[in-house]
Amino acid sequence: MHDAHFHMSKELFDLFKENKMKGICNVDSVEEYECIQSLLKEYPFEFSVGIHPWKADQINFEEMKPLFSKTKFIGEIGLDNTWCDVDLDVQRRVFIQQLEFASKYQKPVILHVKGMEQEALNLIKRYKNTYIVHWYSCLDFLKEYDEVVDYFTVGPSVGIDEAVTNLVKNVDVHKLLLESDGIDAIEWAIQSRDYLKMFNHSIEQINEIKQMDCTDILDQNFNQLLKRA
Ligand SMILES: [Zn+2]
């Protein structure tokens, strides 16, 4: 099983290792990068490095640049006018810097586009790359995104959130990946901190929506993404 996008914690790492998961851990600061180095000695996983839109006014591109050269994936990066009040001009500047870098070195990008779906889409169209949209929760622009991006990560709210469920219904199964977004996000979405139960629930929901067993296809999608990086 895979977790294509998560934020690291001791609680998650123990379960990740115990269940022999594969996945991409999000790194959004130099401190976090240093922290995962010791975990990587214990159990392998991939990681992505990016300046999160919520932190666009706290961390600058130059500071993170040494880490960008060490990562295969850039993310999560993007724009957000819903869950944070960081100045949108600052968010745009930092997002564009990272899109340019990622496209130049062809490092796949994990996107966060909450409330800014249309503008983020217009921006990514300018930078050719592999794109993974994390937790897309908007009923609009899905078709337009589907034409441009390569994968969508589906999180704990599938079957609960109408937009996430709509995405699974309308996007080809070969473009879907599983994600937890971390233990706190699981709790936020389904009021439980049960990592494995969440994945089993997500797979069940996807299978039901697609009317087929998608378990192996989802893992194959993740393996294909790793090959592209
Ligand atoms: Zn995240």
Side-chain angles (χ1 to χ4, degrees), residues 81-116:
N81 67 4
T82 308
W83 302 115
C84 73
D85 51 17
V86 177
D87 187 287
L88 281 170
D89 282 335
V90 176
Q91 290 192 42
R92 272 181 204 107
R93 179 170 43 81
V94 173
F95 183 38
I96 290 168
Q97 281 176 317
Q98 296 179 97
L99 286 177
E100 270 174 5
F101 178 90
S103 175
K104 185 175 173 191
Y105 296 99
Q106 286 297 296
K107 297 182 186 236
V109 168
I110 299 171
L111 291 166
H112 172 121
V113 296
K114 186 67 192 172
M116 296 292 289

PDB file of all heavy atoms in Angstrom, residues 81-116:
ATOM      1  N   ASN A  81      -6.521  30.459  -0.568  1.00  0.00           N
ATOM      2  CA  ASN A  81      -7.178  31.655  -0.025  1.00  0.00           C
ATOM      3  C   ASN A  81      -8.224  31.289   1.034  1.00  0.00           C
ATOM      4  O   ASN A  81      -9.005  32.124   1.460  1.00  0.00           O
ATOM      5  CB  ASN A  81      -7.834  32.486  -1.139  1.00  0.00           C
ATOM      6  CG  ASN A  81      -9.017  31.742  -1.783  1.00  0.00           C
ATOM      7  OD1 ASN A  81      -9.391  30.657  -1.345  1.00  0.00           O
ATOM      8  ND2 ASN A  81      -9.586  32.325  -2.821  1.00  0.00           N
ATOM      9  N   THR A  82      -8.219  30.018   1.428  1.00  0.00           N
ATOM     10  CA  THR A  82      -9.271  29.518   2.321  1.00  0.00           C
ATOM     11  C   THR A  82      -8.761  29.204   3.724  1.00  0.00           C
ATOM     12  O   THR A  82      -9.334  29.631   4.715  1.00  0.00           O
ATOM     13  CB  THR A  82      -9.901  28.234   1.713  1.00  0.00           C
ATOM     14  OG1 THR A  82     -10.282  28.512   0.364  1.00  0.00           O
ATOM     15  CG2 THR A  82     -11.097  27.761   2.521  1.00  0.00           C
ATOM     16  N   TRP A  83      -7.673  28.457   3.793  1.00  0.00           N
ATOM     17  CA  TRP A  83      -7.184  27.966   5.083  1.00  0.00           C
ATOM     18  C   TRP A  83      -6.040  28.792   5.657  1.00  0.00           C
ATOM     19  O   TRP A  83      -5.450  28.417   6.663  1.00  0.00           O
ATOM     20  CB  TRP A  83      -6.733  26.507   4.968  1.00  0.00           C
ATOM     21  CG  TRP A  83      -7.786  25.562   4.493  1.00  0.00           C
ATOM     22  CD1 TRP A  83      -7.785  24.854   3.328  1.00  0.00           C
ATOM     23  CD2 TRP A  83      -9.005  25.184   5.169  1.00  0.00           C
ATOM     24  NE1 TRP A  83      -8.917  24.084   3.230  1.00  0.00           N
ATOM     25  CE2 TRP A  83      -9.678  24.258   4.347  1.00  0.00           C
ATOM     26  CE3 TRP A  83      -9.580  25.549   6.394  1.00  0.00           C
ATOM     27  CZ2 TRP A  83     -10.901  23.689   4.705  1.00  0.00           C
ATOM     28  CZ3 TRP A  83     -10.803  24.981   6.742  1.00  0.00           C
ATOM     29  CH2 TRP A  83     -11.432  24.068   5.906  1.00  0.00           C
ATOM     30  N   CYS A  84      -5.678  29.887   5.004  1.00  0.00           N
ATOM     31  CA  CYS A  84      -4.608  30.720   5.558  1.00  0.00           C
ATOM     32  C   CYS A  84      -4.835  32.165   5.115  1.00  0.00           C
ATOM     33  O   CYS A  84      -5.610  32.426   4.189  1.00  0.00           O
ATOM     34  CB  CYS A  84      -3.225  30.251   5.098  1.00  0.00           C
ATOM     35  SG  CYS A  84      -2.856  30.608   3.373  1.00  0.00           S
ATOM     36  N   ASP A  85      -4.166  33.107   5.781  1.00  0.00           N
ATOM     37  CA  ASP A  85      -4.326  34.505   5.370  1.00  0.00           C
ATOM     38  C   ASP A  85      -3.000  35.107   4.896  1.00  0.00           C
ATOM     39  O   ASP A  85      -2.789  36.314   4.976  1.00  0.00           O
ATOM     40  CB  ASP A  85      -4.979  35.347   6.477  1.00  0.00           C
ATOM     41  CG  ASP A  85      -4.275  35.182   7.802  1.00  0.00           C
ATOM     42  OD1 ASP A  85      -3.120  34.690   7.788  1.00  0.00           O
ATOM     43  OD2 ASP A  85      -4.862  35.538   8.846  1.00  0.00           O
ATOM     44  N   VAL A  86      -2.111  34.261   4.389  1.00  0.00           N
ATOM     45  CA  VAL A  86      -0.846  34.746   3.826  1.00  0.00           C
ATOM     46  C   VAL A  86      -1.166  35.553   2.554  1.00  0.00           C
ATOM     47  O   VAL A  86      -1.960  35.104   1.717  1.00  0.00           O
ATOM     48  CB  VAL A  86       0.101  33.559   3.487  1.00  0.00           C
ATOM     49  CG1 VAL A  86       1.375  34.057   2.830  1.00  0.00           C
ATOM     50  CG2 VAL A  86       0.411  32.741   4.739  1.00  0.00           C
ATOM     51  N   ASP A  87      -0.557  36.723   2.445  1.00  0.00           N
ATOM     52  CA  ASP A  87      -0.767  37.611   1.299  1.00  0.00           C
ATOM     53  C   ASP A  87      -0.643  36.839  -0.026  1.00  0.00           C
ATOM     54  O   ASP A  87       0.345  36.140  -0.260  1.00  0.00           O
ATOM     55  CB  ASP A  87       0.298  38.724   1.376  1.00  0.00           C
ATOM     56  CG  ASP A  87       0.058  39.781   0.334  1.00  0.00           C
ATOM     57  OD1 ASP A  87       0.305  39.506  -0.870  1.00  0.00           O
ATOM     58  OD2 ASP A  87      -0.360  40.885   0.715  1.00  0.00           O
ATOM     59  N   LEU A  88      -1.637  36.971  -0.870  1.00  0.00           N
ATOM     60  CA  LEU A  88      -1.651  36.189  -2.114  1.00  0.00           C
ATOM     61  C   LEU A  88      -0.532  36.573  -3.075  1.00  0.00           C
ATOM     62  O   LEU A  88      -0.050  35.734  -3.840  1.00  0.00           O
ATOM     63  CB  LEU A  88      -3.013  36.283  -2.799  1.00  0.00           C
ATOM     64  CG  LEU A  88      -4.098  35.372  -2.199  1.00  0.00           C
ATOM     65  CD1 LEU A  88      -5.461  35.699  -2.771  1.00  0.00           C
ATOM     66  CD2 LEU A  88      -3.776  33.895  -2.432  1.00  0.00           C
ATOM     67  N   ASP A  89      -0.081  37.822  -3.031  1.00  0.00           N
ATOM     68  CA  ASP A  89       1.044  38.211  -3.887  1.00  0.00           C
ATOM     69  C   ASP A  89       2.319  37.480  -3.463  1.00  0.00           C
ATOM     70  O   ASP A  89       3.119  37.066  -4.311  1.00  0.00           O
ATOM     71  CB  ASP A  89       1.262  39.728  -3.833  1.00  0.00           C
ATOM     72  CG  ASP A  89       0.236  40.458  -4.698  1.00  0.00           C
ATOM     73  OD1 ASP A  89      -0.270  39.833  -5.650  1.00  0.00           O
ATOM     74  OD2 ASP A  89      -0.068  41.629  -4.393  1.00  0.00           O
ATOM     75  N   VAL A  90       2.492  37.328  -2.166  1.00  0.00           N
ATOM     76  CA  VAL A  90       3.654  36.581  -1.647  1.00  0.00           C
ATOM     77  C   VAL A  90       3.517  35.108  -2.061  1.00  0.00           C
ATOM     78  O   VAL A  90       4.474  34.498  -2.563  1.00  0.00           O
ATOM     79  CB  VAL A  90       3.757  36.719  -0.099  1.00  0.00           C
ATOM     80  CG1 VAL A  90       4.894  35.864   0.439  1.00  0.00           C
ATOM     81  CG2 VAL A  90       3.922  38.178   0.310  1.00  0.00           C
ATOM     82  N   GLN A  91       2.343  34.559  -1.880  1.00  0.00           N
ATOM     83  CA  GLN A  91       2.113  33.154  -2.277  1.00  0.00           C
ATOM     84  C   GLN A  91       2.415  32.937  -3.761  1.00  0.00           C
ATOM     85  O   GLN A  91       3.078  31.965  -4.133  1.00  0.00           O
ATOM     86  CB  GLN A  91       0.654  32.761  -2.020  1.00  0.00           C
ATOM     87  CG  GLN A  91       0.275  32.637  -0.562  1.00  0.00           C
ATOM     88  CD  GLN A  91      -1.100  31.969  -0.420  1.00  0.00           C
ATOM     89  OE1 GLN A  91      -1.419  31.005  -1.109  1.00  0.00           O
ATOM     90  NE2 GLN A  91      -1.911  32.483   0.487  1.00  0.00           N
ATOM     91  N   ARG A  92       1.923  33.848  -4.594  1.00  0.00           N
ATOM     92  CA  ARG A  92       2.133  33.732  -6.046  1.00  0.00           C
ATOM     93  C   ARG A  92       3.617  33.734  -6.396  1.00  0.00           C
ATOM     94  O   ARG A  92       4.088  32.922  -7.180  1.00  0.00           O
ATOM     95  CB  ARG A  92       1.499  34.919  -6.777  1.00  0.00           C
ATOM     96  CG  ARG A  92       0.084  34.714  -7.127  1.00  0.00           C
ATOM     97  CD  ARG A  92      -0.493  35.907  -7.879  1.00  0.00           C
ATOM     98  NE  ARG A  92      -1.932  35.888  -7.684  1.00  0.00           N
ATOM     99  CZ  ARG A  92      -2.603  36.725  -6.906  1.00  0.00           C
ATOM    100  NH1 ARG A  92      -1.988  37.699  -6.265  1.00  0.00           N
ATOM    101  NH2 ARG A  92      -3.898  36.598  -6.758  1.00  0.00           N
ATOM    102  N   ARG A  93       4.366  34.672  -5.791  1.00  0.00           N
ATOM    103  CA  ARG A  93       5.788  34.797  -6.098  1.00  0.00           C
ATOM    104  C   ARG A  93       6.530  33.495  -5.760  1.00  0.00           C
ATOM    105  O   ARG A  93       7.274  32.956  -6.575  1.00  0.00           O
ATOM    106  CB  ARG A  93       6.383  35.994  -5.323  1.00  0.00           C
ATOM    107  CG  ARG A  93       7.859  36.208  -5.557  1.00  0.00           C
ATOM    108  CD  ARG A  93       8.372  37.530  -4.973  1.00  0.00           C
ATOM    109  NE  ARG A  93       7.863  37.832  -3.637  1.00  0.00           N
ATOM    110  CZ  ARG A  93       8.341  37.328  -2.503  1.00  0.00           C
ATOM    111  NH1 ARG A  93       9.354  36.486  -2.537  1.00  0.00           N
ATOM    112  NH2 ARG A  93       7.820  37.677  -1.350  1.00  0.00           N
ATOM    113  N   VAL A  94       6.278  32.991  -4.553  1.00  0.00           N
ATOM    114  CA  VAL A  94       6.963  31.778  -4.094  1.00  0.00           C
ATOM    115  C   VAL A  94       6.529  30.559  -4.933  1.00  0.00           C
ATOM    116  O   VAL A  94       7.351  29.709  -5.289  1.00  0.00           O
ATOM    117  CB  VAL A  94       6.680  31.571  -2.583  1.00  0.00           C
ATOM    118  CG1 VAL A  94       7.215  30.238  -2.098  1.00  0.00           C
ATOM    119  CG2 VAL A  94       7.284  32.718  -1.770  1.00  0.00           C
ATOM    120  N   PHE A  95       5.270  30.500  -5.270  1.00  0.00           N
ATOM    121  CA  PHE A  95       4.746  29.390  -6.084  1.00  0.00           C
ATOM    122  C   PHE A  95       5.415  29.388  -7.459  1.00  0.00           C
ATOM    123  O   PHE A  95       5.917  28.356  -7.932  1.00  0.00           O
ATOM    124  CB  PHE A  95       3.224  29.553  -6.201  1.00  0.00           C
ATOM    125  CG  PHE A  95       2.513  28.458  -6.940  1.00  0.00           C
ATOM    126  CD1 PHE A  95       2.891  27.126  -6.820  1.00  0.00           C
ATOM    127  CD2 PHE A  95       1.402  28.745  -7.755  1.00  0.00           C
ATOM    128  CE1 PHE A  95       2.209  26.107  -7.483  1.00  0.00           C
ATOM    129  CE2 PHE A  95       0.716  27.737  -8.426  1.00  0.00           C
ATOM    130  CZ  PHE A  95       1.121  26.424  -8.295  1.00  0.00           C
ATOM    131  N   ILE A  96       5.472  30.550  -8.091  1.00  0.00           N
ATOM    132  CA  ILE A  96       6.053  30.644  -9.436  1.00  0.00           C
ATOM    133  C   ILE A  96       7.547  30.302  -9.422  1.00  0.00           C
ATOM    134  O   ILE A  96       8.029  29.582 -10.304  1.00  0.00           O
ATOM    135  CB  ILE A  96       5.782  32.046 -10.043  1.00  0.00           C
ATOM    136  CG1 ILE A  96       4.282  32.180 -10.356  1.00  0.00           C
ATOM    137  CG2 ILE A  96       6.603  32.300 -11.301  1.00  0.00           C
ATOM    138  CD1 ILE A  96       3.813  33.587 -10.697  1.00  0.00           C
ATOM    139  N   GLN A  97       8.267  30.766  -8.409  1.00  0.00           N
ATOM    140  CA  GLN A  97       9.696  30.426  -8.299  1.00  0.00           C
ATOM    141  C   GLN A  97       9.874  28.909  -8.282  1.00  0.00           C
ATOM    142  O   GLN A  97      10.752  28.354  -8.952  1.00  0.00           O
ATOM    143  CB  GLN A  97      10.277  30.980  -6.981  1.00  0.00           C
ATOM    144  CG  GLN A  97      10.603  32.460  -7.016  1.00  0.00           C
ATOM    145  CD  GLN A  97      11.067  32.944  -5.643  1.00  0.00           C
ATOM    146  OE1 GLN A  97      10.501  32.587  -4.610  1.00  0.00           O
ATOM    147  NE2 GLN A  97      12.101  33.762  -5.627  1.00  0.00           N
ATOM    148  N   GLN A  98       9.031  28.237  -7.532  1.00  0.00           N
ATOM    149  CA  GLN A  98       9.143  26.784  -7.394  1.00  0.00           C
ATOM    150  C   GLN A  98       8.685  26.058  -8.658  1.00  0.00           C
ATOM    151  O   GLN A  98       9.273  25.053  -9.041  1.00  0.00           O
ATOM    152  CB  GLN A  98       8.359  26.307  -6.169  1.00  0.00           C
ATOM    153  CG  GLN A  98       8.940  26.881  -4.869  1.00  0.00           C
ATOM    154  CD  GLN A  98       8.154  26.429  -3.643  1.00  0.00           C
ATOM    155  OE1 GLN A  98       8.529  25.487  -2.980  1.00  0.00           O
ATOM    156  NE2 GLN A  98       7.054  27.103  -3.356  1.00  0.00           N
ATOM    157  N   LEU A  99       7.639  26.577  -9.301  1.00  0.00           N
ATOM    158  CA  LEU A  99       7.186  25.960 -10.560  1.00  0.00           C
ATOM    159  C   LEU A  99       8.270  26.039 -11.622  1.00  0.00           C
ATOM    160  O   LEU A  99       8.512  25.083 -12.363  1.00  0.00           O
ATOM    161  CB  LEU A  99       5.916  26.656 -11.075  1.00  0.00           C
ATOM    162  CG  LEU A  99       4.598  26.380 -10.361  1.00  0.00           C
ATOM    163  CD1 LEU A  99       3.489  27.218 -10.986  1.00  0.00           C
ATOM    164  CD2 LEU A  99       4.225  24.903 -10.409  1.00  0.00           C
ATOM    165  N   GLU A 100       8.924  27.199 -11.680  1.00  0.00           N
ATOM    166  CA  GLU A 100      10.005  27.398 -12.665  1.00  0.00           C
ATOM    167  C   GLU A 100      11.139  26.417 -12.430  1.00  0.00           C
ATOM    168  O   GLU A 100      11.616  25.753 -13.344  1.00  0.00           O
ATOM    169  CB  GLU A 100      10.579  28.819 -12.524  1.00  0.00           C
ATOM    170  CG  GLU A 100       9.888  29.837 -13.379  1.00  0.00           C
ATOM    171  CD  GLU A 100      10.383  31.260 -13.095  1.00  0.00           C
ATOM    172  OE1 GLU A 100      11.327  31.460 -12.298  1.00  0.00           O
ATOM    173  OE2 GLU A 100       9.780  32.184 -13.674  1.00  0.00           O
ATOM    174  N   PHE A 101      11.555  26.329 -11.162  1.00  0.00           N
ATOM    175  CA  PHE A 101      12.654  25.430 -10.802  1.00  0.00           C
ATOM    176  C   PHE A 101      12.278  23.984 -11.134  1.00  0.00           C
ATOM    177  O   PHE A 101      13.047  23.249 -11.759  1.00  0.00           O
ATOM    178  CB  PHE A 101      12.970  25.569  -9.302  1.00  0.00           C
ATOM    179  CG  PHE A 101      14.065  24.647  -8.836  1.00  0.00           C
ATOM    180  CD1 PHE A 101      15.389  25.057  -8.860  1.00  0.00           C
ATOM    181  CD2 PHE A 101      13.767  23.357  -8.401  1.00  0.00           C
ATOM    182  CE1 PHE A 101      16.402  24.187  -8.447  1.00  0.00           C
ATOM    183  CE2 PHE A 101      14.769  22.491  -7.998  1.00  0.00           C
ATOM    184  CZ  PHE A 101      16.083  22.917  -8.012  1.00  0.00           C
ATOM    185  N   ALA A 102      11.078  23.577 -10.719  1.00  0.00           N
ATOM    186  CA  ALA A 102      10.642  22.187 -10.908  1.00  0.00           C
ATOM    187  C   ALA A 102      10.571  21.831 -12.395  1.00  0.00           C
ATOM    188  O   ALA A 102      10.963  20.742 -12.797  1.00  0.00           O
ATOM    189  CB  ALA A 102       9.279  21.981 -10.256  1.00  0.00           C
ATOM    190  N   SER A 103      10.097  22.772 -13.197  1.00  0.00           N
ATOM    191  CA  SER A 103       9.971  22.513 -14.622  1.00  0.00           C
ATOM    192  C   SER A 103      11.354  22.428 -15.279  1.00  0.00           C
ATOM    193  O   SER A 103      11.614  21.547 -16.102  1.00  0.00           O
ATOM    194  CB  SER A 103       9.126  23.620 -15.248  1.00  0.00           C
ATOM    195  OG  SER A 103       9.081  23.471 -16.634  1.00  0.00           O
ATOM    196  N   LYS A 104      12.240  23.330 -14.860  1.00  0.00           N
ATOM    197  CA  LYS A 104      13.598  23.353 -15.421  1.00  0.00           C
ATOM    198  C   LYS A 104      14.297  22.011 -15.197  1.00  0.00           C
ATOM    199  O   LYS A 104      14.960  21.491 -16.089  1.00  0.00           O
ATOM    200  CB  LYS A 104      14.387  24.489 -14.756  1.00  0.00           C
ATOM    201  CG  LYS A 104      15.763  24.702 -15.324  1.00  0.00           C
ATOM    202  CD  LYS A 104      16.410  25.920 -14.699  1.00  0.00           C
ATOM    203  CE  LYS A 104      17.858  26.033 -15.130  1.00  0.00           C
ATOM    204  NZ  LYS A 104      18.575  27.052 -14.341  1.00  0.00           N
ATOM    205  N   TYR A 105      14.149  21.445 -13.997  1.00  0.00           N
ATOM    206  CA  TYR A 105      14.828  20.186 -13.674  1.00  0.00           C
ATOM    207  C   TYR A 105      13.910  18.975 -13.789  1.00  0.00           C
ATOM    208  O   TYR A 105      14.273  17.867 -13.405  1.00  0.00           O
ATOM    209  CB  TYR A 105      15.471  20.276 -12.286  1.00  0.00           C
ATOM    210  CG  TYR A 105      16.552  21.335 -12.252  1.00  0.00           C
ATOM    211  CD1 TYR A 105      16.303  22.597 -11.733  1.00  0.00           C
ATOM    212  CD2 TYR A 105      17.806  21.075 -12.801  1.00  0.00           C
ATOM    213  CE1 TYR A 105      17.276  23.585 -11.745  1.00  0.00           C
ATOM    214  CE2 TYR A 105      18.796  22.054 -12.816  1.00  0.00           C
ATOM    215  CZ  TYR A 105      18.525  23.308 -12.296  1.00  0.00           C
ATOM    216  OH  TYR A 105      19.492  24.276 -12.320  1.00  0.00           O
ATOM    217  N   GLN A 106      12.700  19.195 -14.311  1.00  0.00           N
ATOM    218  CA  GLN A 106      11.708  18.125 -14.502  1.00  0.00           C
ATOM    219  C   GLN A 106      11.517  17.261 -13.251  1.00  0.00           C
ATOM    220  O   GLN A 106      11.598  16.023 -13.297  1.00  0.00           O
ATOM    221  CB  GLN A 106      12.080  17.269 -15.723  1.00  0.00           C
ATOM    222  CG  GLN A 106      11.786  18.004 -17.027  1.00  0.00           C
ATOM    223  CD  GLN A 106      10.274  18.297 -17.202  1.00  0.00           C
ATOM    224  OE1 GLN A 106       9.484  17.388 -17.318  1.00  0.00           O
ATOM    225  NE2 GLN A 106       9.890  19.580 -17.186  1.00  0.00           N
ATOM    226  N   LYS A 107      11.270  17.950 -12.134  1.00  0.00           N
ATOM    227  CA  LYS A 107      10.931  17.249 -10.892  1.00  0.00           C
ATOM    228  C   LYS A 107       9.416  17.354 -10.704  1.00  0.00           C
ATOM    229  O   LYS A 107       8.879  18.467 -10.657  1.00  0.00           O
ATOM    230  CB  LYS A 107      11.665  17.889  -9.704  1.00  0.00           C
ATOM    231  CG  LYS A 107      13.188  17.767  -9.818  1.00  0.00           C
ATOM    232  CD  LYS A 107      13.898  18.366  -8.617  1.00  0.00           C
ATOM    233  CE  LYS A 107      15.401  18.354  -8.853  1.00  0.00           C
ATOM    234  NZ  LYS A 107      16.131  17.654  -7.811  1.00  0.00           N
ATOM    235  N   PRO A 108       8.718  16.199 -10.625  1.00  0.00           N
ATOM    236  CA  PRO A 108       7.260  16.231 -10.479  1.00  0.00           C
ATOM    237  C   PRO A 108       6.816  17.075  -9.280  1.00  0.00           C
ATOM    238  O   PRO A 108       7.497  17.122  -8.255  1.00  0.00           O
ATOM    239  CB  PRO A 108       6.903  14.756 -10.264  1.00  0.00           C
ATOM    240  CG  PRO A 108       8.012  13.993 -10.891  1.00  0.00           C
ATOM    241  CD  PRO A 108       9.245  14.816 -10.690  1.00  0.00           C
ATOM    242  N   VAL A 109       5.670  17.728  -9.457  1.00  0.00           N
ATOM    243  CA  VAL A 109       5.180  18.693  -8.471  1.00  0.00           C
ATOM    244  C   VAL A 109       3.896  18.206  -7.791  1.00  0.00           C
ATOM    245  O   VAL A 109       2.967  17.752  -8.468  1.00  0.00           O
ATOM    246  CB  VAL A 109       4.908  20.050  -9.174  1.00  0.00           C
ATOM    247  CG1 VAL A 109       4.128  20.998  -8.273  1.00  0.00           C
ATOM    248  CG2 VAL A 109       6.220  20.700  -9.604  1.00  0.00           C
ATOM    249  N   ILE A 110       3.838  18.329  -6.476  1.00  0.00           N
ATOM    250  CA  ILE A 110       2.617  18.039  -5.703  1.00  0.00           C
ATOM    251  C   ILE A 110       1.952  19.378  -5.381  1.00  0.00           C
ATOM    252  O   ILE A 110       2.568  20.260  -4.782  1.00  0.00           O
ATOM    253  CB  ILE A 110       2.957  17.253  -4.419  1.00  0.00           C
ATOM    254  CG1 ILE A 110       3.606  15.911  -4.787  1.00  0.00           C
ATOM    255  CG2 ILE A 110       1.683  17.038  -3.574  1.00  0.00           C
ATOM    256  CD1 ILE A 110       4.177  15.131  -3.615  1.00  0.00           C
ATOM    257  N   LEU A 111       0.700  19.499  -5.825  1.00  0.00           N
ATOM    258  CA  LEU A 111       0.010  20.796  -5.750  1.00  0.00           C
ATOM    259  C   LEU A 111      -1.032  20.895  -4.651  1.00  0.00           C
ATOM    260  O   LEU A 111      -1.779  19.944  -4.398  1.00  0.00           O
ATOM    261  CB  LEU A 111      -0.709  21.058  -7.073  1.00  0.00           C
ATOM    262  CG  LEU A 111       0.147  21.338  -8.300  1.00  0.00           C
ATOM    263  CD1 LEU A 111      -0.710  21.232  -9.551  1.00  0.00           C
ATOM    264  CD2 LEU A 111       0.795  22.719  -8.214  1.00  0.00           C
ATOM    265  N   HIS A 112      -1.108  22.098  -4.067  1.00  0.00           N
ATOM    266  CA  HIS A 112      -2.136  22.461  -3.076  1.00  0.00           C
ATOM    267  C   HIS A 112      -2.826  23.698  -3.660  1.00  0.00           C
ATOM    268  O   HIS A 112      -2.183  24.728  -3.841  1.00  0.00           O
ATOM    269  CB  HIS A 112      -1.415  22.781  -1.757  1.00  0.00           C
ATOM    270  CG  HIS A 112      -2.283  23.352  -0.675  1.00  0.00           C
ATOM    271  ND1 HIS A 112      -2.432  22.735   0.547  1.00  0.00           N
ATOM    272  CD2 HIS A 112      -3.021  24.485  -0.593  1.00  0.00           C
ATOM    273  CE1 HIS A 112      -3.231  23.462   1.319  1.00  0.00           C
ATOM    274  NE2 HIS A 112      -3.590  24.530   0.656  1.00  0.00           N
ATOM    275  N   VAL A 113      -4.128  23.582  -3.965  1.00  0.00           N
ATOM    276  CA  VAL A 113      -4.762  24.661  -4.732  1.00  0.00           C
ATOM    277  C   VAL A 113      -6.066  25.154  -4.101  1.00  0.00           C
ATOM    278  O   VAL A 113      -6.970  25.600  -4.801  1.00  0.00           O
ATOM    279  CB  VAL A 113      -5.022  24.206  -6.192  1.00  0.00           C
ATOM    280  CG1 VAL A 113      -3.703  23.941  -6.898  1.00  0.00           C
ATOM    281  CG2 VAL A 113      -5.913  22.968  -6.270  1.00  0.00           C
ATOM    282  N   LYS A 114      -6.163  25.097  -2.768  1.00  0.00           N
ATOM    283  CA  LYS A 114      -7.449  25.336  -2.090  1.00  0.00           C
ATOM    284  C   LYS A 114      -8.024  26.741  -2.333  1.00  0.00           C
ATOM    285  O   LYS A 114      -7.401  27.757  -1.957  1.00  0.00           O
ATOM    286  CB  LYS A 114      -7.269  25.098  -0.591  1.00  0.00           C
ATOM    287  CG  LYS A 114      -8.550  25.179   0.204  1.00  0.00           C
ATOM    288  CD  LYS A 114      -9.490  24.030  -0.144  1.00  0.00           C
ATOM    289  CE  LYS A 114     -10.879  24.247   0.412  1.00  0.00           C
ATOM    290  NZ  LYS A 114     -11.859  23.270  -0.039  1.00  0.00           N
ATOM    291  N   GLY A 115      -9.173  26.775  -2.973  1.00  0.00           N
ATOM    292  CA  GLY A 115      -9.869  28.037  -3.227  1.00  0.00           C
ATOM    293  C   GLY A 115      -9.281  28.831  -4.384  1.00  0.00           C
ATOM    294  O   GLY A 115      -9.853  29.826  -4.814  1.00  0.00           O
ATOM    295  N   MET A 116      -8.125  28.399  -4.887  1.00  0.00           N
ATOM    296  CA  MET A 116      -7.409  29.134  -5.941  1.00  0.00           C
ATOM    297  C   MET A 116      -7.244  28.234  -7.169  1.00  0.00           C
ATOM    298  O   MET A 116      -6.272  28.358  -7.911  1.00  0.00           O
ATOM    299  CB  MET A 116      -6.028  29.565  -5.427  1.00  0.00           C
ATOM    300  CG  MET A 116      -6.088  30.543  -4.264  1.00  0.00           C
ATOM    301  SD  MET A 116      -6.756  32.164  -4.762  1.00  0.00           S
ATOM    302  CE  MET A 116      -5.388  32.784  -5.740  1.00  0.00           C
TER     303      MET A 116
END
